[in-house]
Amino acid sequence: MTSQVSSPINEEHEGSGTVLGSPAAEAGALGALAQAAGLPEPGGPGGPPPSGKETRRLDRVIIRFAGDSGDGMQLTGDRFTSETASFGNDLSTLPNFPAEIRAPAGTLPGVSSFQLHFADHDILTPGDAPDVLVAMNPAALKANLADLPRGAEVIVNTDEFTKRAMAKVGYAANPLEDGSLAAYAVHPVPLTTLTLEALKDSGLARKDAERAKNMFALGLLSWMYHRPTEGTESFLRQKFAKKPDVAEANVTAFRAGWNFGETTEDFAVSYEVQPAASAFPAGTYRNISGNLALAYGLVASSERSGLPLFLGSYPITPASDILHELSRHKNFGVRTFQAEDEIAAIGAALGAAFGGSLAVTTTSGPGVALKSETIGLAVSLELPLLVVDIQRGGPSTGLPTKTEQADLLQAMYGRNGEAPVPVVAPATPADCFDAALEAARIALAYRTPVMLLSDGYLANGSEPWRIPDVGELPDLRVEFATGPNYTTPDGTQSFRPYLRDPKTLARPWAVPGTPGLEHRIGGIEKQDGTGNISYDPANHDFMVRTRQAKIDGIEVPRLEVDDPDGTARTLVLGWGSTYGPITAAVRRLRREGGRVAQAHLRHLNPFPANLGAVLARYDKVLVPEMNLGQLAHLIRATYLVDARSYTQVTGLPFKAEQLAQAIAKENADV
């Protein structure tokens, strides 16, 4: 039997579009990338609705898997997400894990979690609070309990609630027995015991068999929410292809979890969340993380520009996945170079730019600091270079696996001298693809390094992404210099490496080895036109102002403002990954009758030409940021507007309700 039950707070319902297309390979370069990544096949639930049990229909669910960093919570969440994406739900994820490779087992700092929000409509965030918590041990329960609303379901691995394990996290009594969880629907499940029983004939040692308990939990949750199962079984057999006994043990544990849900009396209800059929335009979709989307965007930029892609990189969290992914695509002419340090990585990338490649270097905040001199050299040489900064908590090594937006001022000013650099920031994980193309457009057209500011939330989070037709992508082709471009008064033809395009102020791009185009490069100031070394004061002043004018003159789209009836007096201005929480918060306020406008910046240097006029239309401007007010500082300084900051530096993204309250407070004072 099936009943319709809405979730308590349908916080982001604003669906539009037509039916989601079934996954399939796309023609051309993007299609090949999709095939290489393994698009999931469409499918329904892994089995028929459980017989004799009630099935309730929900419009949205938030699930959080939590356990030790060695319990496989990220893999569990990723597999549940993949099956949810193939089912056709809209989704948003928030992986959250320690920086240590193997954090102390059973401790609060060692807890790893993965939160997934999926729905039958358009959603924007991983959700404020989980409806379901899967806690693999006492530490996972204690670390996450404060986030649970009353009535939330808690699935607990009772086998781990030993006196020693509970004492390690400060439990004087067993929370499963002392009534402290009375506000929640608790399901005590001996996950370890049940897994070992399911695998007693597998031939695996006890320790190895215990590791499959995350797959038992995944099977149970897959039953509860009617998730497809075929993709996970196929994934496990592929992942452990060299260890078939391990593969089959994980599949067996996964199936045992499903069967446990169907047969146990403790789970009398399962839930359905229908596909988000009206949330997206028709097309071919796949689930994608921000780092993967960014990597694909770089490959697409290479294909659309006709230039080979070169990545000079040094591994650093949370940017390393881009290096890993691009190294898989040699078939597209991608060359990846793992250097010995950050300085060598960007040096190699700048050399590749000089040689005629689409050059990229990837890093996080600490690496940007080390690369600053070479970024300044790229400004001086006026060569295209993409500097991808996946921001994380700082200062110094800070919080390597947590998110932050605190590198904006470093991106703007973190170089010696006057060294202006364009800054572009994606808004969502899928938007990282388009942001990479936009950064490449600017770098190639204006011959300049470009900073691309993503962050850990976007990098590791995921959402559905419509694979575009190749014809939809911008034409990024460039023309290299091929011969003389200057004629002296006596009729002699020569090549001037700093003779500029009158529209873009970009200098010609001369590939080394082209006869007649030899010219000097280096960090010393250049003479206008010739590029020769110059210490002339007037020339230096001219070159500094010209480089600044080139950046100021970059053509970027006008800022779009979401102000439905044009009567709002408060504008919420954001950038980067705050887009989802801000938009969800604004939707909540509007449903309650609030009048609030919203705008989101992709281009942070230069700002859109109409930004000043937009700001002037509103009595109040509120800028939420995951820093201490860096964009607000720039807005106040540039436009003399009393922009108000609302900031957070917790290493976690904003919650929609938190922002809604802050915006409502500002709006009430207008």
Side-chain angles (χ1 to χ4, degrees):
M1 95 186 186
T2 302
S3 59
Q4 177 75 42
V5 180
S6 294
S7 55
I9 304 176
N10 186 5
E11 64 180 39
E12 300 164 1
H13 194 173
E14 194 172 302
S16 62
T18 53
V19 177
L20 181 72
S22 62
E26 194 76 22
L30 289 176
L33 281 171
Q35 285 184 324
L39 282 173
E41 291 297 324
S51 58
K53 292 192 176 184
E54 180 184 359
T55 299
R56 296 179 185 171
R57 185 169 295 170
L58 304 176
D59 58 9
R60 56 185 283 272
V61 175
I62 303 168
I63 298 174
R64 183 182 297 176
F65 298 93
D68 275 335
S69 57
D71 282 340
M73 294 297 93
Q74 302 306 315
L75 175 62
T76 305
D78 182 68
R79 288 314 313 161
F80 196 93
T81 299
S82 295
E83 299 296 2
T84 297
S86 70
F87 187 69
N89 296 119
D90 194 11
L91 61 89
S92 179
T93 68
L94 177 62
N96 188 11
F97 44 87
E100 293 82 0
I101 294 175
R102 185 65 172 93
T107 65
L108 294 176
V111 173
S112 173
S113 67
F114 188 106
Q115 183 162 307
L116 166 67
H117 182 191
F118 62 102
D120 65 1
H121 57 271
D122 173 28
I123 59 173
L124 297 157
T125 76
D128 287 357
D131 304 305
V132 181
L133 171 66
V134 180
M136 303 297 283
N137 60 21
L141 178 65
K142 189 165 189 176
N144 293 280
L145 196 60
D147 292 338
L148 297 182
R150 294 181 63 87
E153 292 195 77
V154 183
I155 300 173
V156 182
N157 180 13
T158 56
D159 288 326
E160 294 296 321
F161 279 70
T162 63
K163 288 184 178 180
R164 180 181 179 185
M166 290 186 290
K168 190 180 290 188
V169 295
Y171 277 129
N174 190 335
L176 306 181
E177 300 172 353
D178 64 4
S180 60
L181 302 180
Y184 313 104
V186 179
H187 301 278
V189 180
L191 290 174
T192 305
T193 299
L194 292 171
T195 302
L196 291 174
E197 177 64 23
L199 301 181
K200 63 182 179 181
D201 298 325
S202 67
L204 294 181
R206 178 186 175 91
K207 185 176 181 180
D208 293 331
E210 283 184 7
R211 290 175 179 159
K213 64 180 179 291
N214 64 323
M215 289 297 105
F216 189 100
L218 178 59
L220 173 57
L221 269 292
S222 297
W223 172 85
M224 285 181 66
Y225 292 97
H226 297 192
R227 298 298 91 185
T229 61
E230 295 84 356
T232 293
E233 293 189 10
S234 176
F235 167 84
L236 291 171
R237 290 192 172 99
Q238 183 177 359
K239 179 178 177 63
F240 299 108
K242 295 182 179 180
K243 298 179 179 179
D245 55 339
V246 174
E248 290 308 312
N250 278 276
V251 170
T252 299
F254 176 65
R255 290 177 175 176
W258 176 282
N259 292 332
F260 176 77
E262 187 167 1
T263 57
T264 183
E265 295 182 1
D266 192 36
F267 293 91
V269 178
S270 65
Y271 304 92
E272 286 184 346
V273 180
Q274 292 296 307
S278 62
F280 312 108
T284 301
Y285 285 78
R286 60 156 295 156
N287 184 50
I288 200 165
S289 68
N291 273 351
L292 184 58
L294 205 156
Y296 284 5
L298 294 173
V299 175
S301 298
S302 171
E303 291 290 306
R304 296 300 288 171
S305 66
L307 302 175
L309 178 62
F310 179 90
L311 174 68
S313 184
Y314 179 76
I316 183 171
T317 301
S320 299
D321 285 342
I322 302 173
L323 169 62
H324 302 158
E325 181 61 32
L326 288 179
S327 68
R328 300 174 54 198
H329 298 295
K330 297 179 180 66
N331 56 314
F332 289 110
V334 178
R335 295 184 180 181
T336 52
F337 170 59
Q338 180 175 318
E340 65 268 28
D341 55 42
E342 296 280 5
I343 298 173
I346 191 173
L350 185 57
F354 179 58
S357 292
L358 176 60
V360 184
T361 188
T362 53
T363 188
S364 190
V368 173
L370 293 169
K371 296 176 188 291
S372 62
E373 183 181 3
T374 307
I375 296 173
L377 177 59
V379 171
S380 176
L381 297 181
E382 300 189 47
L383 287 170
L385 174 67
L386 301 186
V387 182
V388 178
D389 177 7
I390 313 297
Q391 300 167 93
R392 70 190 205 186
S396 187
T397 45
L399 303 174
T401 60
K402 310 302 179 183
T403 194
E404 208 162 273
Q405 287 183 299
D407 293 349
L408 176 55
L409 293 182
Q410 179 178 223
M412 289 285 292
Y413 302 121
R415 294 162 295 282
N416 64 295
E418 296 288 345
V421 170
V423 181
V424 176
T428 70
D431 187 48
C432 290
F433 177 86
D434 295 310
L437 284 158
E438 175 64 0
R441 176 191 73 84
I442 293 172
L444 295 172
Y446 294 89
R447 310 287 197 268
T448 178
V450 176
M451 294 287 298
L452 178 57
L453 293 183
S454 179
D455 61 40
Y457 171 38
L458 296 183
N460 297 316
S462 64
E463 65 178 351
W465 172 59
R466 187 183 71 84
I467 301 174
D469 293 326
V470 174
E472 300 174 12
L473 304 181
D475 185 348
L476 302 179
R477 287 174 294 181
V478 297
E479 293 185 3
F480 293 115
T482 57
N485 61 358
Y486 183 77
T487 303
T488 62
D490 64 3
T492 303
Q493 291 190 324
S494 63
F495 175 67
R496 291 204 164 184
Y498 284 84
L499 188 67
R500 300 180 183 278
D501 180 287
K503 181 179 179 182
T504 65
L505 298 182
R507 78 176 187 93
W509 194 358
V511 176
T514 306
L517 304 190
E518 298 84 358
H519 60 282
R520 183 191 302 271
I521 64 169
I524 303 296
E525 184 61 281
K526 292 125 187 77
Q527 183 183 53
D528 177 41
T530 67
N532 295 329
I533 290 176
S534 173
Y535 290 94
D536 178 67
N539 177 79
H540 177 59
D541 184 271
F542 177 80
M543 292 296 281
V544 167
R545 295 180 186 277
T546 300
R547 288 188 289 261
Q548 182 65 58
K550 181 174 69 171
I551 304 307
D552 292 341
I554 292 173
E555 293 186 2
V556 301
R558 291 171 61 83
L559 180 64
E560 295 184 2
V561 181
D562 178 14
D563 188 355
D565 57 12
T567 61
R569 298 173 64 187
T570 298
L571 172 70
V572 185
L573 182 68
W575 70 279
S577 65
T578 57
Y579 172 79
I582 289 175
T583 306
V586 168
R587 288 181 182 178
R588 287 190 184 191
L589 290 175
R590 288 177 181 169
R591 284 195 298 271
E592 297 168 0
R595 296 179 178 178
V596 181
Q598 177 191 357
H600 207 78
L601 289 167
R602 163 172 283 183
H603 298 89
L604 297 153
N605 192 34
F607 286 130
N610 67 326
L611 176 56
V614 168
L615 296 172
R617 296 207 306 261
Y618 296 93
D619 296 333
K620 279 195 174 182
V621 177
L622 181 65
V623 185
E625 300 180 76
M626 292 188 294
N627 55 48
L628 295 184
Q630 297 186 16
L631 175 60
H633 176 83
L634 294 174
I635 294 295
R636 293 169 69 94
T638 304
Y639 298 102
L640 302 181
V641 170
D642 185 21
R644 310 287 184 90
S645 283
Y646 183 77
T647 63
Q648 167 179 299
V649 281
T650 62
L652 295 169
F654 285 111
K655 294 181 178 180
E657 180 60 28
Q658 167 193 2
L659 279 182
Q661 293 178 5
I663 297 168
K665 182 178 179 181
E666 286 290 332
N667 201 37
D669 296 336
V670 176

